[in-house]
């Protein structure tokens, strides 16, 4: 795979954290950043977001009913 060199600007603290974390994992900073991007696009984060979407798709009616009940009970107490 071809590689492209980029010149990103980040705060010194972020650069130090990325360098230290990459070193801890035995990786170059470029490889570490590539791993983070891949995980963000298709890794655990995406799997979690997909699972949350499926959960909401399956159970949205329960949340809608609870919101409707809250609205009805709030109106019943109005003087």
């Amino acid at each position: 795979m071809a590689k492209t060199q980029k010149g990103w600007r980040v705060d010194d603290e972020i650069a130090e954290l990325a360098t230290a974390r990459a070193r801890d994992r035995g990786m170059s900073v470029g490889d570490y950043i590539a791993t983070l991007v891949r995980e963000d696009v298709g890794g655990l984060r995406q799997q979690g977001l997909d699972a949350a979407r499926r959960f909401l798709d399956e159970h949205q009616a329960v949340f809608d009913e609870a919101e409707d009940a809250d609205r009805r009970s709030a109106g019943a107490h109005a003087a």
Side-chain angles (χ1 to χ4, degrees):
M1 181 185 326
K3 292 194 175 194
T4 301
Q5 183 172 341
K6 298 288 184 183
W8 309 104
R9 293 180 187 268
V10 296
D11 293 338
D12 289 339
E13 178 186 4
I14 297 300
E16 291 171 11
L17 289 169
T19 301
R21 188 65 182 121
R23 184 176 45 245
D24 291 345
R25 295 178 72 175
M27 308 169 81
S28 70
V29 174
D31 288 342
Y32 176 63
I33 291 170
T35 299
L36 293 177
V37 171
R38 283 189 197 101
E39 288 174 356
D40 184 51
V41 171
L44 294 177
R45 181 177 185 277
Q46 189 61 47
Q47 290 175 20
L49 291 172
D50 292 344
R53 172 55 41 208
R54 285 191 306 275
F55 176 84
L56 287 175
D57 287 347
E58 293 175 20
H59 302 289
Q60 186 62 50
V62 174
F63 294 105
D64 292 343
E65 289 174 19
E67 287 179 0
D68 288 343
D70 283 346
R71 277 189 228 123
R72 283 192 301 269
S73 65
H77 298 291

